[in-house]
Amino acid sequence: MLKVAKFGFYMFGINTYVVYDPEAKEAAIIDPGMSRKEEFEALEKFIEREGLKVTHLINTHLHIDHAIADNWVKTRYNVPLEAHADDAMLGERIKQQAQMFGVRAEDVSVEIDRKLKEGDIVKIGSGELKVLHVPGHSPGSVCLYDEADGFVIVGDALFEGSIGRTDLPGGNYRQLIDAIKGKLLTLPRDTAVFSGHGDPTTIGREYDRNPYLV
């Protein structure tokens, strides 16, 4: 059984997740958005306290708020970055993204080491995350679905009562709506949805109430 730990960090109110197997002591860090000393320390202390070995670093997409600490995690825990190839151009432009939003980024770029695609399985101890390609917020946006434990980590594709913005480079509104309806709303209604910002929701709640998806 996999567990999910959520960290809310300063930059754009980003949610960073640690998905881990408490028995096998393996963990994946997803969308590391740490930008302050105390945020790096909070993540490190959690990993140490739970006695976890970080075996995966995954980005749901490579916008600056989700990827600003990628290179730190890669170095600190000696893990490759896993993300969809269609977001490689965003990783190459981390510094330009930072300038666009008026934030400071030490890294010029972030390189994808393992290219994820639809249907890939990420193993964490005895658990599995299935990769769903859900483009539209960015070309390479992916969601990570744990069927056994009933949750999906969706990045900025879907929010409680809303969807990801599509006005950034590579965004496509129609593509996002179609992908959400085809890949996410077809999951079981009680599936917990963990988004890149804001509070968790469920597939059923968004199917019934999300005004963008009627």
Side-chain angles (χ1 to χ4, degrees), residues 46-67:
F46 176 82
I47 298 293
E48 291 171 5
R49 185 173 69 247
E50 298 296 325
L52 301 175
K53 178 182 179 182
V54 177
T55 55
H56 296 277
L57 164 61
I58 307 171
N59 266 111
T60 60
H61 62 295
L62 286 170
H63 285 151
I64 180 69
D65 50 336
H66 293 250

Side-chain angles (χ1 to χ4, degrees), residues 5 17 34 75 86 94 108-109 113-114 116 131 139 151 158 163 171 174-175 181 190 199 202 212:
Y17 295 99
M34 303 84 75
T75 300
D86 288 353
I94 288 294
V108 174
S109 65
D113 301 300
R114 180 194 171 200
L116 299 176
V131 176
F151 70 84
L158 180 65
I163 61 171
R174 188 70 258 162
Q175 188 180 44
K181 290 183 175 181
D190 60 352
D199 297 324
T202 66
Y212 293 90

